[in-house]
Amino acid sequence: MKFKYFVFLLFVTIGFSQNNQVWKDYFSYYEIVDVAHGDNKIFAATENSVFSKDLLTGNIDRFTSVNGFKPETVTCIYYSQTSRKLFAGNSNGLINIVDENLNMYRKVDIIEEVPVAPNKKRINHFYEYEGKLYIATDYGISVFDTNTLEFIETYFIGTSGEELKILQTTVFNNEIYAVTQYNGIRKADITSNFLYDFAQWQTFDSGSWTGILTFQNQLLAQNSNSRTYRHNGTAFQEILNTQQNASFFKTNDTEVIISTPNHIFVLNQALNTIAHVTDIPDVDNEIFSSATVVNNHLYVGTQKNGLYSVSLDNMSSFEDMTPNGPLRNYIFKIKQSPNRLWAVYGDYTAQFNPYPLDEYGISYYNNQGWTSFPYENLLNAKSIVSINFNPRNQNQVYFGSFYSGLLELQFADENFTLYDQTNTGNNGLETINSNSDIRVDNLTFDKDNNLWLTNGLITKFLKVMRTSGQWQSYDLSSYLATANYRFGDLKVDKNLTKWIATSNDGLLAFNDSMNNKFIKISSDQGLPSTRVNAVAIDNRNQMWIGTSSGLRILSSVDRFVQDTELSVTNIVIQEGDLAQELFYEQSILDIEVDGSNRKWVSISGGGVFLVSPNGQETIYKFDKENSPLPSNFINDIEINGDTGEVFFATDKGMVSFLGTSTAPKEDLSQVYVYPNPVRPNYSGTIKVAGLTDKCIVKITDIEGNLVHEVTSAGGTIEWDGTAFGKYKVASGVYMVFISTKDGMDTTVKKVMIIR
């Protein structure tokens, strides 16, 4: 069976600007999938990005979704020295390509044209021979021209033409060899014009093999018995016991490099072992993923600790080459304090099950980059799933562990304290039955600086640590239909009412300062689902409620004070001639309110929306197809109210959008315009920030002709650089006249536009 591909249909050039000033990435480079080399560069791939380091200049380039590198899940990489291109294979058959000018392309031929099940399109290996790239996949072999970037043909090489999982290919003595997962090694004449015909292929060896390569005019193979063999023309002869099955089996033409989870072997041209790495000094629990050798230096990728290099002449001195970043790309929760953005990596399932337990550290980002506290510093606190900081002392930070209790960090001296059932008193934290399992989540401070949280799977699930250090517990279990004490979110409003999102009983409202008043909002009160994931209180005291089946609004949280029952309503929007419910039957994961009272809403599998304060207008819809979002599953959203930067923590990495989500200022003393000057390659909007609410902003050319006028909603406005949306204004200096709504405070700024 032979397949020809029409490149003009299946060839995608990424259009994101290399100078993207609207989006930023915050990816981790510690979880290395594969490494490659070429042109005096070392390349290392994670599942969602690649970085390279120039070994002559030391320069580092990062290829991410923000600058156009948009993978699904990277499985292997290869650098073509002849075409000077980097190829990255993915789990779904996608191929990402980066050329020497850093142009980026996506080849979707395998995804869209090869007639096999989507789960059989994984790319396992690239092998280049005479300008053709032989791609080993879970269905067979596809062939690709490295210069024209066109697919040529596909081979299904089973004995009856069926699909076979191919792990690796090589060419030796004019024959192509393919290691299959279960059908031994298959081979065929590489000069044949009919390799797409399965009858051209024959079984070379029926054993269980995992890799194959050509080295110094010899055929080498890796067996599933954890041994490496050389073929002598008649039979395979063992040359090395690697003790574990190889993850990657490579050559750079002068050495052979074998990577297993706990061993790296380097063999010379005589097939003698010249290096054997079993650990990297001062690195805990390393698991190797891939390795290569360049200029007598070994480069080792690890699954959790990044990329390291060491000279083959001095194997005791390893250098960490990992770019700065968070510990992982899977970020579960983030929290913005005045000077730091915090990130944690624990998680739980949709059923709130944290097992298997996570043992990850904690990271924070500031203007110096990322810093992390390793798990070893966290007093064995596992599966950390929530964060908050003391609003009166941002250096006192709390973390909820969904197994170990409440972790406190005194940032000034980097001192951790763990609160659990042993040190919080009879009315404090509780374990599940007699286990050591304490499920703490949803940390929230009230206006009196008391810390509230949920303690899952126990009857007294609502806990508070008072400013005095005393603990109190509240038993609200009688209001729940089942003993399903699991919670999606917790907010405390200005009246000290606690709004508790439950996994099966709707939304609970409780106020201990009002004689323990309690109200429950469930299906009878208008919720479309009794599973509530997110609640957010906006700038007008409205509550936005995100459920597993849609959105509801409570007109005011103040209603709790005087009413005995609360009902919620949907938002109906007009789409052409049709009226429909906003986010109808959508599973909402998170809701955040920005400085302009607009709402950012994360939809499970559907990306993120920005809607107007009343929900009637969709301002932005971002997903992984139309934006640098690496995934449509956004675990958490956080907003920096000072800068307007909106952070999206996904299951495949974190990016941010530089919007206008700033809170209004008290006066106009801090107004500024950015970017300034506006250069020809800039494609975003021009922002005027540091405004008070409802400022009047007028922009004129140098002669006083009005080109834009707007009233602010929050602390920032955007201008698209046009005269009232009609045409782009010319190069020149433009005046920005700003006054408060009462006219008592004014200021004038200038912005230079260069076309």
Side-chain angles (χ1 to χ4, degrees):
M1 187 177 295
K2 184 173 183 176
F3 293 93
K4 292 290 186 180
Y5 300 102
F6 297 95
V7 68
F8 60 86
L9 292 176
L10 305 173
F11 180 73
V12 181
T13 303
I14 297 300
F16 295 117
S17 169
Q18 294 287 331
N19 298 309
N20 195 327
Q21 299 184 49
V22 178
W23 291 84
K24 293 174 64 177
D25 66 76
Y26 296 88
F27 289 143
S28 170
Y29 299 96
Y30 289 102
E31 298 166 308
I32 304 298
V33 172
D34 195 9
V35 297
H37 69 275
D39 281 342
N40 286 308
K41 289 183 179 180
I42 187 74
F43 298 88
T46 69
E47 286 190 345
N48 64 353
S49 62
V50 172
F51 72 89
S52 69
K53 183 170 183 178
D54 191 305
L55 301 178
L56 300 179
T57 66
N59 291 337
I60 292 178
D61 286 316
R62 297 171 176 85
F63 311 131
T64 73
S65 60
V66 168
N67 59 25
F69 187 86
K70 297 194 67 179
E72 178 64 24
T73 301
V74 175
T75 53
C76 59
I77 58 174
Y78 169 75
Y79 184 82
S80 169
Q81 193 75 46
T82 55
S83 66
R84 299 185 183 278
K85 296 181 181 74
L86 175 74
F87 296 87
N90 285 258
S91 60
N92 66 341
L94 173 69
I95 300 177
N96 298 94
I97 304 169
V98 184
D99 68 18
E100 60 183 327
N101 297 316
L102 302 186
N103 297 311
M104 301 184 196
Y105 313 94
R106 303 172 82 227
K107 295 291 293 181
V108 296
D109 303 64
I110 290 175
I111 297 175
E112 298 189 0
E113 289 295 308
V114 177
V116 299
N119 64 349
K120 291 188 175 182
K121 297 186 177 184
R122 185 184 194 271
I123 296 175
N124 302 311
H125 181 259
F126 294 107
Y127 177 76
E128 186 176 6
Y129 182 74
E130 294 186 348
K132 294 179 180 179
L133 199 61
Y134 293 85
I135 306 167
T137 74
D138 278 4
Y139 59 80
I141 303 169
S142 286
V143 187
F144 183 70
D145 190 303
T146 60
N147 292 307
T148 65
L149 301 184
E150 293 184 10
F151 272 89
I152 301 171
E153 52 194 357
T154 287
Y155 311 146
F156 294 104
I157 67 171
T159 55
S160 300
E162 73 272 19
E163 305 159 13
L164 290 183
K165 183 174 182 177
I166 310 300
L167 303 178
Q168 193 166 353
T169 63
T170 192
V171 173
F172 178 67
N173 287 345
N174 286 323
E175 291 183 305
I176 180 171
Y177 292 80
V179 169
T180 72
Q181 185 176 31
Y182 301 117
N183 296 75
I185 301 173
R186 304 276 285 164
K187 75 170 185 173
D189 184 350
I190 192 66
T191 65
S192 171
N193 293 322
F194 306 101
L195 288 179
Y196 58 85
D197 179 3
F198 66 88
Q200 300 290 312
W201 294 77
Q202 59 183 292
T203 299
F204 173 68
D205 188 279
S206 59
S208 179
W209 302 91
T210 59
I212 194 165
L213 56 82
T214 303
F215 179 70
Q216 298 295 312
N217 201 32
Q218 301 174 92
L219 189 67
L220 307 183
Q222 180 77 15
N223 196 277
S224 61
N225 64 5
S226 303
R227 287 169 168 79
T228 306
Y229 294 83
R230 178 181 66 86
H231 198 268
N232 63 8
T234 304
F236 281 108
Q237 295 179 326
E238 181 181 338
I239 58 174
L240 178 67
N241 183 351
T242 56
Q243 305 176 48
Q244 294 174 312
N245 285 341
S247 307
F248 283 95
F249 186 43
K250 298 187 175 189
T251 179
N252 63 356
D253 296 329
T254 57
E255 287 94 9
V256 173
I257 307 98
I258 307 169
S259 306
T260 80
N262 302 114
H263 302 269
I264 302 292
F265 294 91
V266 180
L267 312 183
N268 63 12
Q269 296 182 26
L271 299 179
N272 297 319
T273 300
I274 58 173
H276 179 201
V277 178
T278 58
D279 70 285
I280 299 173
D282 301 321
V283 177
D284 296 321
N285 304 317
E286 73 268 25
I287 301 174
F288 305 131
S289 54
S290 180
T292 191
V293 173
V294 184
N295 298 334
N296 205 45
H297 278 72
L298 175 65
Y299 296 87
V300 180
T302 68
Q303 291 185 16
K304 293 183 179 180
N305 298 297
L307 179 70
Y308 289 82
S309 69
V310 64
S311 170
L312 293 177
D313 296 328
N314 179 13
M315 296 293 294
S316 63
S317 181
F318 283 80
E319 177 189 357
D320 187 350
M321 300 183 66
T322 315
N324 183 250
L327 289 175
R328 302 188 72 211
N329 278 313
Y330 186 103
I331 297 177
F332 192 67
K333 291 293 180 183
I334 50 179
K335 186 67 178 178
Q336 177 73 61
S337 68
N339 296 322
R340 303 175 196 98
L341 177 71
W342 293 90
V344 295
Y345 311 98
D347 65 359
Y348 41 69
T349 67
Q351 292 73 41
F352 294 87
N353 181 3
Y355 291 89
L357 298 174
D358 299 316
E359 296 182 352
Y360 298 115
I362 291 167
S363 303
Y364 69 87
Y365 178 82
N366 59 17
N367 56 13
Q368 269 127 33
W370 286 95
T371 302
S372 295
F373 295 101
Y375 169 75
E376 289 72 23
N377 291 12
L378 306 187
L379 307 179
N380 294 317
K382 306 179 190 302
S383 295
I384 296 176
V385 296
S386 56
I387 323 158
N388 214 329
F389 62 92
N390 184 340
R392 299 179 186 176
N393 176 14
Q394 66 158 314
N395 289 319
Q396 187 178 37
V397 191
Y398 292 89
F399 306 92
S401 164
F402 218 59
Y403 178 80
S404 307
L406 178 69
L407 188 67
E408 177 191 356
L409 167 64
Q410 293 289 346
F411 186 82
D413 55 8
E414 298 186 359
N415 183 52
F416 285 94
T417 302
L418 183 64
Y419 297 97
D420 56 23
Q421 78 280 13
T422 67
N423 58 2
T424 56
N426 294 331
N427 216 11
L429 297 175
E430 300 176 65
T431 63
I432 300 171
N433 299 321
S434 59
N435 299 327
S436 58
D437 192 333
I438 309 176
R439 302 195 179 183
V440 170
D441 199 2
N442 303 309
L443 312 180
T444 307
F445 282 90
D446 65 24
K447 66 180 182 180
D448 296 328
N449 220 41
N450 302 303
L451 176 60
W452 294 82
L453 53 87
T454 55
N455 190 168
L457 294 181
I458 62 168
T459 56
K460 295 181 179 180
F461 55 76
L462 182 62
K463 309 283 186 182
V464 59
M465 183 171 68
R466 303 288 181 185
T467 54
S468 63
Q470 296 299 307
W471 285 79
Q472 282 183 268
S473 298
Y474 295 90
D475 185 352
L476 307 180
S477 60
S478 61
Y479 299 105
L480 303 184
T482 66
N484 188 20
Y485 310 134
R486 299 172 175 88
F487 309 97
D489 205 352
L490 170 64
K491 292 291 190 297
V492 184
D493 68 22
K494 60 177 181 152
N495 304 313
L496 298 178
T497 304
K498 291 72 182 171
W499 301 87
I500 310 164
T502 77
S503 67
N504 201 45
D505 282 274
L507 182 63
L508 311 182
F510 170 76
N511 196 315
D512 56 307
S513 66
M514 298 177 62
N515 197 27
N516 289 348
K517 182 178 179 179
F518 177 90
I519 297 177
K520 180 178 177 179
I521 303 173
S522 192
S523 300
D524 292 341
Q525 290 75 40
L527 284 183
S529 167
T530 55
R531 182 184 179 106
V532 179
N533 296 322
V535 291
I537 303 169
D538 73 8
N539 301 343
R540 297 176 183 173
N541 290 321
Q542 286 187 328
M543 173 164 286
W544 287 52
I545 306 165
T547 79
S548 63
S549 190
L551 173 74
R552 290 296 183 266
I553 306 296
L554 177 66
S555 59
S556 174
V557 296
D558 295 335
R559 288 178 52 194
F560 177 90
V561 177
Q562 64 264 12
D563 294 349
T564 57
E565 184 172 317
L566 300 174
S567 60
V568 295
T569 58
N570 61 6
I571 294 177
V572 177
I573 58 175
Q574 198 74 23
E575 288 286 342
D577 295 331
L578 298 176
Q580 62 180 19
E581 180 182 313
L582 180 65
F583 302 127
Y584 176 67
E585 292 190 347
Q586 298 295 305
S587 179
I588 296 172
L589 300 181
D590 193 19
I591 305 173
E592 294 294 330
V593 181
D594 72 17
S596 301
N597 206 33
R598 303 176 302 179
K599 284 75 181 180
W600 291 91
V601 182
S602 166
I603 303 296
S604 178
V608 64
F609 291 76
L610 174 64
V611 298
S612 60
N614 61 6
Q616 290 297 316
E617 178 188 359
T618 297
I619 300 167
Y620 294 123
K621 178 189 182 298
F622 296 134
D623 57 36
K624 68 177 185 179
E625 299 303 322
N626 69 2
S627 77
L629 280 176
S631 169
N632 286 334
F633 291 91
I634 298 168
N635 294 327
D636 202 14
I637 305 170
E638 189 72 4
I639 301 171
N640 185 322
D642 291 331
T643 66
E645 188 171 7
V646 187
F647 299 91
F648 306 109
T650 83
D651 59 341
K652 291 189 175 181
M654 185 167 70
V655 296
S656 72
F657 176 73
L658 303 177
T660 59
S661 310
T662 60
K665 302 295 185 181
E666 295 294 325
D667 55 44
L668 300 179
S669 61
Q670 302 178 53
V671 172
Y672 62 99
V673 182
Y674 70 98
N676 195 6
V678 181
R679 301 192 183 278
N681 62 354
Y682 180 67
S683 58
T685 58
I686 301 160
K687 282 86 172 174
V688 183
L691 305 174
T692 61
D693 194 27
K694 294 183 174 60
C695 266
I696 299 170
V697 181
K698 297 183 179 182
I699 302 176
T700 74
D701 62 22
I702 199 67
E703 296 176 351
N705 298 306
L706 186 66
V707 296
H708 187 69
E709 182 175 357
V710 68
T711 299
S712 68
T716 302
I717 64 99
E718 290 182 280
W719 176 40
D720 62 4
T722 68
F724 294 104
K726 295 180 180 179
Y727 55 86
K728 286 186 177 181
V729 298
S731 296
V733 176
Y734 289 81
M735 310 299 295
V736 183
F737 299 93
I738 305 158
S739 65
T740 56
K741 61 182 178 180
D742 58 9
M744 299 299 293
D745 192 3
T746 64
T747 189
V748 180
K749 299 295 178 181
K750 297 179 182 179
V751 58
M752 168 73 78
I753 296 179
I754 306 169
R755 296 299 186 192

